[in-house]
Amino acid sequence: MADDLVFYTNPQSRGRIARWMLEETGADYRTEVIDYASRMKSPDYLAINPMGKVPAIVHHGKAVTEGAAICAYLAEAFPEAGLAPRPGERADYYRWLFFAAGPVEHAVTNNVAKFDPSPEQSRMFGYGSYAATVDVLEAAVSAHPYIAGDRFTAADVYVGSAVGWGILFGSLPKRDAFTDYFERLSGREAYKRAAEMDDALVPAPASVEA
């Protein structure tokens, strides 16, 4: 039943990560679009995610927030989709999934905000420096066809989203390793289907009368 799994999102947000993951699982779900102007900070939505952020899912009455957590949760909740790691993939799967959610996320957003820790400050930050984080990410996506080996997993949804946005918005440098990796992922039917669904939800620009 669709109401057993409810997806809270905004098409202009990190909710696109969860949408892609949901489409990869093949699960039946219902979408609730949360607008920034009003409902994002409303009491009903804050009861689901007290941070007032999207995405979030509610599955069988239990809320899950944070993109990486949603990816990992759905991979285990729908094992028939084959997106959870096999024993030999677990080390790379968890390592790079949380590397993207932690150091990459923080390094990229701080860099966009024009903040880069000094060498003295770098000990305080999990990513150390933007340059080091980008180099490690490049090596990770270059090591195998997919982030955990030779097979697509839920970790690729999250890492691939980070790389795809980095390429699109220029928050990652243009490197062949990033482009090649994202091209493999963006050709997937679930990715294309999810992008089409979210694009259809983006409000049209307001017309300007002469």
Side-chain angles (χ1 to χ4, degrees):
M1 296 291 292
D3 282 346
D4 289 341
L5 178 55
V6 184
F7 170 44
Y8 297 87
T9 189
N10 185 290
Q12 296 172 298
S13 75
R14 291 173 177 82
R16 286 179 173 256
I17 302 171
R19 170 82 76 182
W20 178 13
M21 183 63 196
L22 284 161
E23 289 300 310
E24 290 284 357
T25 68
D28 189 22
Y29 65 94
R30 176 167 60 84
T31 301
E32 290 275 347
V33 177
I34 309 297
D35 68 282
Y36 287 104
S38 59
R39 196 176 173 198
M40 193 75 73
K41 306 299 183 184
S42 65
D44 68 319
Y45 186 64
L46 291 175
I48 294 166
N49 186 356
M51 293 293 290
K53 298 280 188 177
V54 287
I57 62 170
V58 174
H59 187 218
H60 296 306
K62 296 289 188 179
V64 184
T65 64
E66 314 312 318
I70 291 170
C71 288
Y73 176 87
L74 290 173
E76 295 184 18
F78 299 96
E80 64 277 8
L83 299 167
R86 295 169 180 164
E89 299 166 335
R90 286 176 185 156
D92 282 340
Y93 175 95
Y94 287 111
R95 178 185 184 185
W96 300 119
L97 173 61
F98 292 108
F99 179 76
V104 172
E105 170 80 8
H106 298 158
V108 167
T109 53
N110 279 353
N111 189 63
V112 169
K114 308 299 183 186
F115 173 75
D116 196 30
S118 68
E120 294 76 18
Q121 292 174 317
S122 65
R123 297 182 191 177
M124 300 169 55
F125 293 83
Y127 64 88
S129 72
Y130 171 80
T133 303
V134 169
D135 288 345
V136 172
L137 180 62
E138 180 184 22
V141 302
S142 302
H144 311 285
Y146 298 100
I147 200 66
D150 296 327
R151 189 180 68 93
F152 180 88
T153 66
D156 289 293
V157 173
Y158 195 87
V159 177
S161 294
V163 171
W165 282 338
I167 293 170
L168 177 63
F169 295 111
S171 55
L172 287 175
K174 292 182 179 180
R175 296 184 182 178
D176 290 343
F178 295 144
T179 302
D180 292 347
Y181 174 61
F182 188 65
E183 283 181 353
R184 284 194 290 279
L185 304 185
S186 59
R188 295 180 63 82
E189 288 304 314
Y191 174 86
K192 292 186 282 188
R193 188 166 60 248
E196 183 177 342
M197 295 168 74
D198 279 327
D199 289 345
L201 292 173
V202 175
S207 58
V208 178
E209 296 184 3

